[in-house]
Amino acid sequence: MKIRQLAEGVDLLATVDWNRRLFDSLIPLPDGTSYNAYLVRGTDKVALIDTVDPPLWHVLEKQLESVERIDYVICQHAEQDHSGSIPFVLAKYPEARVLTNAKCRDMLIDLLGIAEERFQIVEDGETIDLGGKTLEFIYLPWVHWPETMGTWLQEERILFSCDFLGSHLATTDTFVTDQALTLEAAKRYYAEIMMPFRLPIQRNLTKILAKDIRMVAPSHGPVFDQPGFILEAYQDWSSDAVKNEVVLPYVSMHGSTEKMAFALLDSLVARDVKVHLFDLVVTDIGKLAISLVDAATLVLGSPTVHVGPHPAAHYAANLANAIRPKVRFASLIGSYGWSTRMVEQVAGMLPNLKAEILDPVICKGDPTAETYAQLDQLAAAIAERHASL
Ligand code: FEO
């Protein structure tokens, strides 16, 4: 991919990872991703903002062939998909210094073994003048690591936001051309790694919204030349508001729990509650995470396996607990053969959810008329609580 100009003296050096399908050996990437580095050239100094995942260093290396000098490598985030090629850049440009915050420096020393003397620490709000290009550093802790920061190019009003506001999307487009596609990818990314830090996200949004942003240049996905929609989306996703929606992930071994899940769905829909239903055996967990961004309620469906929840339900509960959705209500449905301790075990897996637990519906064997009546009662309880949201 060639170097592309965003503004006079500001270039995008994007490396597109078309075929990557998993991040952190965990997160599905149906649309691939990109790692974006940026070059900012002043009349006196040249800065490279972020680098690239090490397996794709050769792409960035080729883009840098015509770049004779780099004075500063700005590291906004220590995670290796952005920082991992910094040692290669430092070897190529022996005079370059790494500009970052103290916390990030310590992490880069631990993760990449970069020599301490190569660093120059920058404080929150500090500026450096490259010669007609002024870079201001904005600490953005917990989006999604504690050391993350952004960089504000004052003259061009460009915010380099690193993971914040980014999207895992492989594309040859420089700027967003399909807002719906980008929004889905960005929401997936928000759900999977940002949502656990919703309150710091709110604070960081307030911080960047004080700027008159013309362009958001993230370190994944296309650049936002009309940033209003992604900023509004982040405000919505990270707000305290929840929607009249139920997320219903389930797994079923012989069909009993599935019958219960569909009965609950029908009863909720009859009460005008929107339902996102997922069979955990086949679902994309990214879709499940996306649905948890807005929903007011989570109901997990599971059969009993050796008195506990099915391992797939165990995984879903673990995931929900880790990504900390803002659901206000939660419950459990499912069946068992001869004995179960599923309710207390699942409750113990969700300590991070600040949710009211609604009466679970657990039946022995196949659901009976009484089970369906209890599912109706659960649907009624959910609809009643959603009505007062
Ligand atoms: Fe794209 Fe947190 O790294």
Side-chain angles (χ1 to χ4, degrees):
M1 290 276 281
K2 66 171 187 174
I3 291 179
R4 285 166 285 167
Q5 190 178 67
L6 298 184
E8 183 64 37
V10 185
D11 295 324
L12 164 65
L13 286 63
T15 297
V16 181
D17 202 343
W18 294 98
N19 299 320
R20 189 163 186 176
R21 286 294 173 270
L22 212 53
F23 200 86
D24 290 344
S25 302
L26 172 69
I27 297 168
L29 301 180
D31 304 309
T33 190
S34 70
Y35 318 105
N36 301 336
Y38 297 93
L39 200 65
V40 183
R41 301 171 203 252
T43 52
D44 303 324
K45 304 279 189 189
V46 178
L48 179 71
I49 301 177
D50 287 336
T51 63
V52 64
D53 211 23
L56 294 179
W57 156 244
H58 61 97
V59 179
L60 180 59
E61 186 179 29
K62 188 154 186 61
Q63 291 170 326
L64 290 173
E65 270 177 358
S66 61
V67 178
E68 289 180 2
R69 60 180 276 200
I70 288 177
D71 301 282
Y72 303 121
V73 183
I74 295 167
C75 181
Q76 303 188 114
H77 178 27
E79 195 165 11
Q80 292 93 326
D81 52 324
H82 310 292
S83 70
S85 293
I86 290 177
F88 306 133
V89 175
L90 294 179
K92 183 175 170 68
Y93 302 96
E95 303 303 316
R97 299 177 69 74
V98 181
L99 264 56
T100 192
N101 58 74
K103 197 169 280 183
C104 189
R105 172 203 55 197
D106 294 347
M107 294 174 83
L108 291 175
I109 291 171
D110 290 342
L111 292 170
L112 301 172
I114 298 173
E116 191 163 359
E117 59 267 23
R118 298 299 298 263
F119 288 95
Q120 180 175 326
I121 300 305
V122 293
E123 301 297 332
D124 189 22
E126 186 175 335
T127 60
I128 58 162
D129 183 5
L130 304 178
K133 295 269 188 281
T134 311
L135 297 174
E136 177 183 339
F137 302 102
I138 306 173
Y139 285 14
L140 301 170
W142 297 111
V143 294
H144 59 123
W145 281 14
E147 85 309 355
T148 311
M149 65 182 200
T151 307
W152 172 243
L153 176 53
Q154 292 181 347
E155 290 80 3
E156 303 292 345
R157 295 170 25 236
I158 297 175
L159 176 69
F160 301 96
S161 60
C162 200
D163 282 341
F164 199 25
L165 311 170
S167 58
H168 283 309
L169 195 57
T171 174
T172 56
D173 295 337
T174 302
F175 298 105
V176 173
T177 53
D178 184 333
Q179 285 196 0
L181 178 69
T182 307
L183 209 54
E184 161 117 3
K187 192 171 188 180
R188 172 185 288 265
Y189 194 37
Y190 169 86
E192 288 162 339
I193 68 163
M194 305 285 174
M195 191 157 64
F197 310 106
R198 199 168 59 80
L199 299 181
I201 295 278
Q202 288 176 0
R203 288 194 287 275
N204 287 318
L205 275 173
T206 301
K207 205 166 174 180
I208 63 168
L209 287 170
K211 308 290 188 191
D212 180 16
I213 301 171
R214 181 170 73 89
M215 202 180 286
V216 169
S219 297
H220 295 292
V223 174
F224 299 89
D225 54 349
Q226 297 172 41
F229 83 93
I230 188 66
L231 293 167
E232 284 168 20
Y234 256 71
Q235 285 175 292
D236 178 33
W237 300 336
S238 64
S239 75
D240 296 337
V242 290
K243 296 195 168 86
N244 178 25
E245 297 178 9
V246 171
V247 178
L248 180 44
Y250 76 96
V251 55
S252 192
M253 292 160 67
H254 297 286
S256 301
T257 300
E258 185 166 63
K259 287 178 192 169
M260 296 173 73
F262 278 92
L264 180 63
L265 177 144
D266 285 341
S267 193
L268 286 164
V269 172
R271 291 171 168 81
D272 295 324
V273 178
K274 181 170 179 168
V275 182
H276 301 274
L277 181 134
F278 301 95
D279 178 347
L280 289 166
V281 175
V282 296
T283 198
D284 165 0
I285 61 163
K287 292 271 190 191
L288 171 59
I290 288 172
S291 70
L292 285 167
V293 170
D294 302 313
T297 297
L298 167 66
V299 179
L300 182 63
S302 176
T304 295
V305 178
H306 305 311
V307 307
H310 186 284
H314 191 291
Y315 179 69
N318 217 296
L319 178 73
N321 188 60
I323 63 177
R324 300 183 186 212
K326 56 186 174 183
V327 291
R328 306 248 181 100
F329 313 103
S331 193
L332 176 71
I333 62 171
S335 73
Y336 66 97
W338 52 92
S339 174
T340 186
R341 291 206 301 273
M342 206 163 53
V343 172
E344 51 270 41
Q345 288 193 13
V346 170
M349 291 172 196
L350 300 170
N352 291 338
L353 300 194
K354 308 298 178 210
E356 176 189 352
I357 304 299
L358 305 178
D359 286 344
V361 180
I362 308 297
C363 74
K364 191 165 187 286
D366 215 32
T368 61
E370 185 188 349
T371 311
Y372 290 119
Q374 289 173 339
L375 290 166
D376 274 337
Q377 287 168 16
L378 176 58
I382 291 169
E384 185 186 323
R385 281 160 177 78
H386 284 201
S388 56
L389 288 174

